[in-house]
């Protein structure tokens, strides 16, 4: 294999897993596992799948799910902060939960809230829940997330983490064709070290990163 890792510039990767539909490669530098870029869906196919997601602010189960990131974030930020929910999807809910607690939250989503103006500001916190695994160009999108966070501010992520090849082979998470970038603890530790962040793993799929002050 000689293709560039979509997250870091490394050209070294190994075949991590193969199933009926796709091959998955692992970068040996940042440990990102990524689906073969040749098997990506078109934007139209992608959007059609997201529109079937029935996440809504009226769904208590969805609120409980999001609370896994909301609670630890609220415990770390002062009152009345300015945030951005990046990848809010068709039924923004996390933003309402944080606004109920006195914060203000702008919305961005390439399909459902394509408001590029909000990407020109910087924020006390940026949330990105169940979105980073959809990133086709995670290196570029990671850079964008970092630029949106003020020094001392927080990046609050939710994504399920890769454990090992054996667990991956049985993992339903990889079967969603819109999931293309699979992060692990090692990947977040690599990024935190490279980019000047403190990383805190909260539970299995919640990652809080704080941008260091100069
Ligand atoms: Zn890499």
């Amino acid at each position: 294999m000689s293709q560039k890792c979509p997250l870091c510039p490394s050209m070294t990767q190994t075949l991590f897993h193969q199933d009926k539909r796709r091959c998955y490669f692992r970068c040996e530098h940042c440990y990102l596992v990524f689906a073969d870029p040749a098997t990506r869906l078109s934007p139209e196919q992608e959007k059609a799948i997201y529109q079937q997601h029935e996440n809504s602010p009226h769904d208590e189960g969805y609120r409980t799910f999001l609370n896994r990131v909301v609670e630890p974030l609220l415990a770390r930020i002062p009152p009345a902060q300015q945030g951005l929910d990046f990848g809010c999807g068709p039924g923004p809910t996390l933003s309402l939960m944080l606004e109920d607690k006195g914060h203000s939250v702008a919305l961005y989503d390439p399909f459902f809230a394509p408001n590029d103006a909000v990407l020109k500001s910087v924020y006390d916190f940026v949330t990105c829940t169940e979105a980073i695994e959809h990133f086709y160009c995670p290196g570029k999108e990671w850079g964008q997330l970092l630029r949106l966070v003020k020094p001392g501010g927080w990046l609050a992520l939710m994504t399920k983490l890769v454990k090992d090849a054996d667990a991956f082979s049985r993992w339903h998470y990889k079967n969603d064709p819109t999931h293309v970038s699979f992060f692990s603890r090692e990947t977040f530790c690599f990024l935190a070290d490279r980019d000047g962040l403190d990383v805190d793993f909260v539970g299995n799929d919640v990652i809080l990163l704080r941008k260091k002050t100069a």
Side-chain angles (χ1 to χ4, degrees):
M1 277 306 301
S2 64
Q3 58 185 332
K4 203 169 135 196
C5 167
L7 180 59
C8 80
S10 171
M11 299 290 287
T12 310
Q13 57 255 179
T14 53
L15 181 64
F16 189 66
H17 182 70
Q18 184 166 8
D19 61 22
K20 275 179 270 173
R21 283 185 298 120
R22 302 190 289 188
C23 289
Y24 306 83
F25 302 99
R26 186 177 72 175
C27 173
E28 293 308 307
H29 190 59
C30 72
Y31 302 105
L32 182 80
V33 174
F34 56 97
D36 181 354
T39 59
R40 286 175 187 160
L41 302 179
S42 70
E44 294 74 23
Q45 291 170 315
E46 235 193 316
K47 187 173 182 183
I49 292 176
Y50 299 144
Q51 280 168 328
Q52 295 164 11
H53 286 193
E54 288 180 359
N55 298 335
S56 126
H58 309 296
D59 178 343
E60 275 308 310
Y62 186 46
R63 282 179 173 254
T64 303
F65 172 76
L66 290 175
N67 221 12
R68 299 218 305 272
V69 68
V70 168
E71 269 187 6
L73 179 61
L74 288 173
R76 287 164 173 80
I77 58 177
Q81 299 284 279
Q82 308 278 332
L84 171 70
D85 187 21
F86 189 102
C88 60
T93 302
L94 182 70
S95 53
L96 300 179
M97 294 168 71
L98 290 162
E99 286 181 338
D100 281 349
K101 301 292 182 185
H103 305 289
S104 54
V105 184
L107 299 175
Y108 178 78
D109 189 287
F111 295 108
F112 302 102
N115 179 11
D116 290 336
V118 302
L119 302 179
K120 295 188 170 74
S121 291
V122 286
Y123 299 89
D124 301 308
F125 65 86
V126 174
T127 55
C128 185
T129 60
E130 295 284 314
I132 200 168
E133 64 276 8
H134 301 285
F135 288 0
Y136 281 6
C137 307
K140 181 167 156 259
E141 287 152 319
W142 177 260
Q144 185 166 47
L145 289 175
L146 283 188
R147 282 192 297 278
L148 290 164
V149 180
K150 290 179 187 172
W154 292 89
L155 183 54
L157 306 173
M158 255 183 132
T159 190
K160 296 199 172 24
L161 299 175
V162 175
K163 293 191 183 81
D164 55 46
D166 183 48
F168 192 87
S169 71
R170 290 176 274 105
W171 204 24
H172 69 91
Y173 207 59
K174 73 175 183 314
N175 298 336
D176 181 332
T178 66
H179 289 178
V180 294
S181 295
F182 305 92
F183 290 69
S184 60
R185 287 178 80 103
E186 291 80 3
T187 310
F188 285 115
C189 290
F190 165 85
L191 293 168
D193 186 50
R194 188 191 69 180
D195 296 332
L197 304 158
D198 291 316
V199 60
D200 198 353
F201 296 96
V202 183
N204 288 331
D205 56 356
V206 175
I207 305 99
L208 295 177
L209 299 121
R210 187 172 199 185
K211 199 175 195 176
K212 290 177 182 164
T213 46

